[in-house]
Amino acid sequence: MHKSTINLANVILEETEKEDSKSRDLDREQKLSDMGAVTEEDFYTLIIGLDNSDSHAGLNTDTLLVAHVIPGHNMIKLMSIPRDLRVTNLRGFAAKINSIFANGYNYAVRQSQENPGLLSGKYVQLGNKNVPEEYISSGMVMARETLERYMGIHIDYTFLANYQSLISLVDEVGGIEINVERSMEYDAPSEDMFIRFEPGLQVLDGEKALHYARFRKDNRGSSFHSNDFERGMRQQQIIIALIDKLTSWDNLPKAFEIMDIVSSNLKTDMSPNMMISLVRQYYGKITRDNIYSLPFPGQWNAPYVDADQEELEERLRQFVSLDRPNIDRTTGS
């Protein structure tokens, strides 16, 4: 699992952002200095889904998912962040949240071209390419810190995943069972993607699960399109189905084997020791009944998603609380 580790202190950012990043990383290291022992404290993780594959070399992060993990209650709260959420970018201008990773990545590229000495010589794999670690770290840190400011939380761990991460994980567990609620039909020949779904309970393999997670537009016109809020909930469905499958085995060695197989397609600042410790202590204890999906309270205001401040504050109170949220499990409201 060491091949999944990335050093998020190895960044190229503007000085104020870099100092903030170092301070946060030092605080995190101090708080969790004994990486082999998980405390009962709650923590936050950010999952960044990169729009990148062998057929499509994009840097947009169309999947952003924040998880509040509460070990003492064996509970996880999930909140998907709409890709078009209006935030502030490096230059102080309004931007979509899905562009912030690319902002950090490209800033690091430009600065290193002017001053090659900024690069450490460490490389990580992105899709089918190896790129300097600083490029990936800078993008991950910029996305993390933007969401930290927006949500008023401290994110302890960040995971970067690409398309292959999901495909390999779902295939390795033998597929996942999903109740598809609507028909979907969309073709993207340039990405070798052809989506076809009919309603009903069905087992999805890795490629089908990726299609289900990505679906937004429909060949049949705008009345058949799916908005970003619905897509976020489908992605959470997949995560819950994966947890269901993994815990149903009641087989810890097999769970570790799966983690090792898929780790090559992940990048994270969570140490292998911490991953192992978490799985050892909580495998089988967190089930779908202890996972809560909290929809993001936003509205489409072209070309951005904006949130009513009062509604956002109330939803964030539910999200950060250690108590179980008082929501309808079927609708999330």
Side-chain angles (χ1 to χ4, degrees):
M1 290 182 284
H2 286 274
K3 55 194 170 188
S4 68
T5 304
I6 188 168
N7 180 9
L8 292 192
N10 193 15
V11 294
I12 301 174
L13 299 172
E14 293 182 351
E15 283 307 310
T16 54
E17 292 285 352
K18 194 168 184 178
E19 288 305 312
D20 286 347
S21 175
K22 283 183 179 178
S23 175
R24 290 171 188 269
D25 286 335
L26 288 172
D27 289 345
R28 182 183 295 108
E29 288 175 14
Q30 182 64 36
K31 179 182 174 185
L32 299 162
S33 57
D34 183 2
M35 298 305 280
V38 180
T39 70
E40 292 297 301
E41 291 186 68
D42 62 307
F43 59 91
Y44 295 91
T45 67
L46 169 63
I47 299 172
I48 301 173
L50 189 62
D51 187 7
N52 186 286
S53 65
D54 291 345
S55 62
H56 181 67
L59 288 176
N60 284 342
T61 54
D62 284 0
T63 297
L64 290 162
L65 179 69
V66 183
H68 183 188
V69 183
I70 309 171
H73 296 167
N74 295 327
M75 178 169 62
I76 298 176
K77 298 179 184 180
L78 302 175
M79 184 179 290
S80 294
I81 308 300
R83 68 174 204 158
D84 295 323
L85 179 67
R86 187 199 305 259
V87 294
T88 303
N89 66 12
L90 276 170
R91 295 173 295 169
F93 299 128
K96 295 181 179 182
I97 187 63
N98 74 334
S99 69
I100 299 301
F101 174 89
N103 285 172
Y105 182 102
N106 290 325
Y107 179 83
V109 172
R110 291 193 301 270
Q111 294 300 307
S112 65
Q113 287 172 343
E114 296 176 8
N115 183 3
L118 293 172
L119 298 178
S120 64
K122 296 179 181 178
Y123 282 75
V124 297
Q125 191 163 357
L126 180 66
N128 57 4
K129 297 187 297 184
N130 283 320
V131 300
E133 182 180 63
E134 288 82 357
Y135 297 175
I136 306 297
S137 294
S138 299
M140 291 174 69
V141 168
M142 188 56 60
R144 181 190 76 196
E145 294 193 351
T146 300
L147 280 172
E148 284 180 328
R149 286 192 293 268
Y150 188 92
M151 300 178 73
I153 61 174
H154 174 72
I155 294 171
D156 299 279
Y157 304 106
T158 304
F159 291 80
L160 179 73
N162 62 11
Y163 291 161
Q164 192 57 43
S165 307
L166 178 62
I167 293 173
S168 61
L169 179 54
V170 173
D171 284 342
E172 286 298 333
V173 302
I176 54 174
E177 193 171 71
I178 294 287
N179 186 20
V180 177
E181 295 182 352
R182 52 159 292 180
S183 65
M184 304 176 192
E185 181 182 316
Y186 181 65
D187 299 326
S190 64
E191 299 180 46
D192 195 27
M193 182 173 69
F194 304 91
I195 299 175
R196 295 291 186 279
F197 287 107
E198 293 299 328
L201 189 65
Q202 49 204 279
V203 175
L204 307 184
D205 63 14
E207 187 175 14
K208 291 277 189 186
L210 177 64
H211 290 171
Y212 189 70
R214 292 190 67 196
F215 176 78
R216 200 165 63 94
K217 294 183 179 181
D218 196 291
N219 295 339
R220 295 166 291 182
S222 58
S223 61
F224 290 89
H225 290 347
S226 175
N227 63 42
D228 220 28
F229 305 104
E230 294 167 343
R231 184 164 71 162
M233 297 306 286
R234 285 196 298 274
Q235 292 166 359
Q236 293 185 29
Q237 253 188 298
I238 289 172
I239 289 174
I240 293 171
L242 279 165
I243 291 173
D244 255 1
K245 192 66 175 282
L246 287 164
T247 56
S248 70
W249 293 338
D250 193 24
N251 187 331
L252 187 59
K254 191 172 181 180
F256 280 129
E257 183 182 335
I258 294 295
M259 288 174 64
D260 192 46
I261 289 169
V262 303
S263 62
S264 61
N265 290 306
L266 290 171
K267 294 293 174 281
T268 180
D269 57 341
M270 180 182 283
S271 75
N273 284 345
M274 178 59 93
M275 285 189 266
I276 291 168
S277 181
L278 283 169
V279 174
R280 283 192 186 281
Q281 292 195 44
Y282 300 108
Y283 178 71
K285 294 180 181 178
I286 298 178
T287 66
R288 72 160 53 236
D289 292 334
N290 295 320
I291 302 174
Y292 293 86
S293 298
L294 280 70
F296 188 88
Q299 302 84 34
W300 176 244
N301 184 19
Y304 300 106
V305 166
D306 289 316
D308 175 82
Q309 197 59 34
E310 190 173 327
E311 289 182 8
L312 178 62
E313 289 176 1
E314 174 56 32
R315 187 55 49 82
L316 288 175
R317 275 195 293 271
Q318 293 178 351
F319 186 66
V320 304
S321 169
L322 300 183
D323 298 326
R324 299 181 185 279
N326 184 23
I327 61 174
D328 185 327
R329 297 302 295 267
T330 59
T331 66
S333 60

